[in-house]
Amino acid sequence: MRGTGQNATRMNETFRLHVEALHPAYERLIASAPFKYADLAKQRVPERGVYLLTEGGRHLYVGRSGNIRQRLRSHCAVSATHHKAAFAFRLAREACGVPKATYKPEGSRAHLMTQEHFQAAFEAQKARLREMDIRVVEEVDPNRQALLEMYVSIALGTPYNDFANH
């Protein structure tokens, strides 16, 4: 039976190894040279890992992806839709005073995108994201990616990460 006997008071060895790798990866992320979205094509960006978005020295959001380059395009590209640019959509909701998402027709994502003022806010927030500093660190293991995303978010207090159940 799991969790009983001699090992009940010790951390799982595999998990412990993952945890011990978090802080060094965090330090590599923080020490990495920031770049802007406009410079993405020129950057050596790892395929898989964790990225950090910072504005004016304030760390706002940390994410993870199996394709960082594509994920950053999803956040920032002019053509990115509200389905792909979730962070910009959240910032637009905040800018428009719509703090909570809803699944009702009124106030839904689709409904908000029919509102001209919301569309303008969404476009403005994608432009804002394009001006943020981006840092990346490679992490190929998806479990360690998830742990690192949480670790960085907690360590930096990123205000836009939400690990609540939906």
Side-chain angles (χ1 to χ4, degrees):
M1 176 186 252
R2 288 186 165 188
T4 60
Q6 206 172 2
N7 292 327
T9 58
R10 291 195 342 224
M11 183 182 292
N12 172 276
E13 182 63 16
T14 302
F15 189 79
R16 185 186 64 73
L17 293 172
H18 283 310
V19 168
E20 286 180 355
L22 296 177
H23 192 72
Y26 163 84
E27 288 180 331
R28 286 192 309 278
L29 177 66
I30 296 303
S32 68
F35 62 92
K36 304 288 187 199
Y37 177 74
D39 298 322
L40 179 61
K42 297 182 266 181
Q43 294 297 313
R44 292 192 63 180
V45 175
E47 182 178 355
R48 296 175 291 225
V50 171
Y51 58 92
L52 175 64
L53 299 174
T54 305
E55 181 179 52
R58 183 174 178 226
H59 304 299
L60 298 180
Y61 182 79
V62 59
R64 63 188 165 102
S65 180
N67 187 334
I68 292 176
R69 205 173 282 281
Q70 182 57 45
R71 185 65 192 118
L72 291 171
R73 282 189 207 104
S74 294
H75 278 300
C76 302
V78 172
S79 62
T81 68
H82 68 281
H83 295 294
K84 298 280 186 176
F87 185 34
F89 189 86
R90 181 171 178 184
L91 292 171
R93 276 196 354 248
E94 180 179 83
C96 291
V98 183
K100 293 277 188 185
T102 180
Y103 295 101
K104 297 177 184 175
E106 184 77 19
S108 69
R109 289 172 86 83
H111 176 258
L112 287 171
M113 290 305 294
T114 66
Q115 310 298 307
E116 280 187 45
H117 74 283
F118 192 86
Q119 286 178 12
F122 178 64
E123 295 304 322
Q125 295 308 318
K126 287 192 295 181
R128 179 181 171 194
L129 289 174
R130 289 191 292 273
E131 295 305 314
M132 289 185 186
D133 286 335
I134 302 167
R135 288 179 175 81
V136 296
V137 67
E138 182 174 40
E139 181 49 68
V140 297
D141 182 274
N143 291 322
R144 203 172 301 179
Q145 271 183 21
L147 292 170
L148 182 57
E149 179 187 27
M150 283 200 243
Y151 183 86
V152 172
S153 177
I154 291 167
L156 297 177
T158 54
Y160 293 102
N161 282 91
D162 178 3
F163 297 104
N165 292 328
H166 299 284

